[in-house]
């Protein structure tokens, strides 16, 4: 019986003195609540039973998503911001001594992130925060640096990898008024563009009409000049031709007068022996 009891006690002591370290975790050995050593490599390890206890902490990177928070921008616009933080434990013993648990570490991170986000966004106007040209990445980098500096200074055994703003939005009660103001601004811009377009159209039309009138006047003057030169040249040619045969010219002019006189088949009474009648009768 004593041997059985001794074997049972020995088994209990052996079981209480062994613990397993898994992949992706720290095991911190505590003696009366004080962190004595940290084991990172996976495997089977030993501790002093009943005197030492073991606490497990995650070794991998973790992501914490903050709750939406209302913040005032530089131009006193209330916005709702939420963000996420990527972090991990780098010193498990120090982490247990200062924050004691993962929940305590998240609380410290949340405080540091909130303070940095509130301070940084209060230095920027709302339209610059929502614009893609303001370098949202720069703001995120500055917030990340602030949080890293704060947590390193307090020495919690925490490393912050990255802090990113997920959303910046207006509170529900302010959205409609902002949307209405945005619509009004866009309508005002559209009206200005239309007015400028109408003015430019009138300038172009006026310039085209003036150019058209100038071209027509120049063309008319050129045509009159050409006609006058043509008529003068024709008269010169006629005079030159008719001067060579005055009798033919007189005969041609007489025939033209016949065409004009007899055009509407009038009744003409002339002496039979008149030169006009002789020509008509072929004498």
């Amino acid at each position: 019986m004593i041997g059985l009891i001794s074997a049972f006690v020995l088994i209990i002591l052996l079981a209480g003195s062994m613990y397993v370290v898994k992949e992706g975790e720290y095991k911190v050995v505590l003696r009366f609540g004080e962190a004595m050593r940290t084991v990172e490599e996976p495997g089977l390890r030993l501790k002093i039973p009943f005197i030492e206890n073991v606490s497990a902490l995650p070794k991998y990177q973790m992501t914490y998503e903050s709750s939406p928070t209302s913040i005032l921008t530089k131009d006193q616009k209330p916005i709702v911001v939420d963000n996420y933080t990527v972090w991990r434990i780098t010193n498990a013993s120090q982490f247990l001594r200062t924050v004691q648990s993962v929940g305590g570490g998240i609380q410290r991170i949340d405080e540091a992130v909130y303070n940095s986000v509130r301070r940084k966004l209060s230095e920027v106007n709302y339209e610059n925060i929502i614009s893609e040209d303001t370098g949202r990445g720069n703001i995120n980098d500055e917030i990340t640096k602030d949080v890293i500096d704060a947590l390193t200074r307090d020495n919690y055994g925490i490393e912050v990898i990255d802090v990113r703003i997920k959303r910046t939005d207006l509170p529900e009660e302010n959205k409609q008024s902002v949307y209405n103001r945005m619509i009004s601004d866009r309508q005002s811009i559209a009206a200005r563009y239309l007015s400028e377009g109408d003015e430019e159209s009138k300038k172009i039309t006026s310039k085209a009409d003036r150019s058209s009138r100038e071209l027509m006047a120049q063309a008319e003057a050129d045509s009159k000049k050409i006609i006058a030169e043509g008529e003068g040249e024709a008269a010169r040619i006629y005079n030159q031709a008719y001067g060579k045969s005055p009798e033919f010219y007189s005969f041609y002019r007489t025939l033209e007068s016949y065409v004009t006189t007899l055009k509407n088949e009038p009744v003409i009474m002339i002496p039979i022996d008149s030169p006009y009648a002789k020509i008509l009768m072929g004498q």
Side-chain angles (χ1 to χ4, degrees):
M1 180 64 69
I2 294 175
L4 290 175
I5 293 174
S6 299
F8 181 73
V9 171
L10 181 60
I11 292 173
I12 292 176
L13 291 174
L14 288 174
S17 64
M18 293 186 295
Y19 63 95
V20 177
V21 181
K22 300 179 181 179
E23 288 283 353
E25 71 173 2
Y26 298 108
K27 282 293 177 65
V28 181
V29 179
L30 305 174
R31 183 178 299 171
F32 304 116
E34 181 70 21
M36 302 304 297
R37 63 185 181 276
T38 301
V39 182
E40 301 183 17
E41 296 299 325
L44 186 63
R45 298 290 187 272
L46 296 175
K47 65 182 179 65
I48 302 173
F50 307 115
I51 296 178
E52 294 182 339
N53 296 320
V54 176
S55 180
L57 292 173
K59 190 177 180 181
Y60 49 82
Q61 289 185 359
M62 293 169 281
T63 301
Y64 165 66
E65 295 190 9
S66 65
S67 301
T69 305
S70 180
I71 293 175
L72 284 177
T73 61
K74 183 178 180 180
D75 49 355
Q76 299 301 304
K77 295 280 184 18
I79 59 174
V80 177
V81 180
D82 59 0
N83 48 267
Y84 68 88
T85 305
V86 181
W87 68 287
R88 67 187 183 94
I89 300 171
T90 56
N91 189 328
S93 299
Q94 182 67 18
F95 183 83
L96 283 177
R97 279 194 292 267
T98 53
V99 299
Q100 300 178 354
S101 66
V102 172
I106 289 176
Q107 182 178 356
R108 301 299 191 281
I109 291 172
D110 187 64
E111 292 172 357
V113 170
Y114 172 75
N115 291 335
S116 179
V117 170
R118 183 184 60 183
R119 184 170 61 255
K120 291 297 180 183
L121 296 188
S122 66
E123 299 171 355
V124 184
N125 290 328
Y126 175 73
E127 61 269 16
N128 293 331
I129 295 176
I130 64 176
S131 173
E132 295 181 356
D133 298 330
T134 60
R136 168 69 66 80
N138 293 337
I139 294 178
N140 287 327
D141 292 342
E142 291 177 6
I143 292 172
T144 300
K145 184 178 182 303
D146 276 357
V147 174
I148 291 174
D149 292 343
L151 296 179
T152 301
R153 182 177 60 250
D154 295 332
N155 193 18
Y156 293 125
I158 294 173
E159 179 187 6
V160 171
I161 311 300
D162 195 15
V163 180
R164 293 285 152 178
I165 296 175
K166 291 172 55 181
R167 176 175 63 102
T168 55
D169 204 355
L170 292 168
E172 291 297 329
E173 60 271 16
N174 293 354
K175 281 186 177 180
Q176 193 57 48
S177 62
V178 173
Y179 291 159
N180 291 338
R181 186 168 67 251
M182 292 172 65
I183 292 172
S184 177
D185 291 343
R186 295 304 180 271
Q187 288 176 344
S188 176
I189 293 172
R192 188 178 77 246
Y193 284 160
L194 289 173
S195 176
E196 292 174 355
D198 289 341
E199 183 178 355
E200 189 66 21
S201 173
K202 290 178 180 178
K203 289 180 180 179
I204 294 173
T205 302
S206 176
K207 183 178 180 180
D209 290 342
R210 184 171 63 253
S211 299
S212 174
R213 289 193 298 270
E214 292 175 355
L215 290 173
M216 291 296 294
Q218 184 63 38
E220 186 175 357
D222 292 343
S223 67
K224 289 181 178 179
K225 180 179 179 181
I226 293 172
I227 291 172
E229 292 176 352
E231 289 179 347
E233 183 65 17
R236 186 186 66 77
I237 294 172
Y238 287 149
N239 291 333
Q240 184 179 1
Y242 296 149
K244 293 182 179 180
S245 178
E247 295 81 4
F248 175 78
Y249 175 71
S250 177
F251 178 70
Y252 178 75
R253 294 289 293 176
T254 301
L255 293 178
E256 285 184 338
S257 69
Y258 291 166
V259 172
T260 303
T261 303
L262 303 176
K263 183 175 182 179
N264 296 320
E265 299 181 357
V267 176
I268 301 174
M269 298 181 67
I270 56 177
I272 191 67
D273 57 350
S274 68
Y276 202 77
K278 291 180 179 180
I279 294 175
L280 286 175
M281 296 176 65
Q283 295 179 2

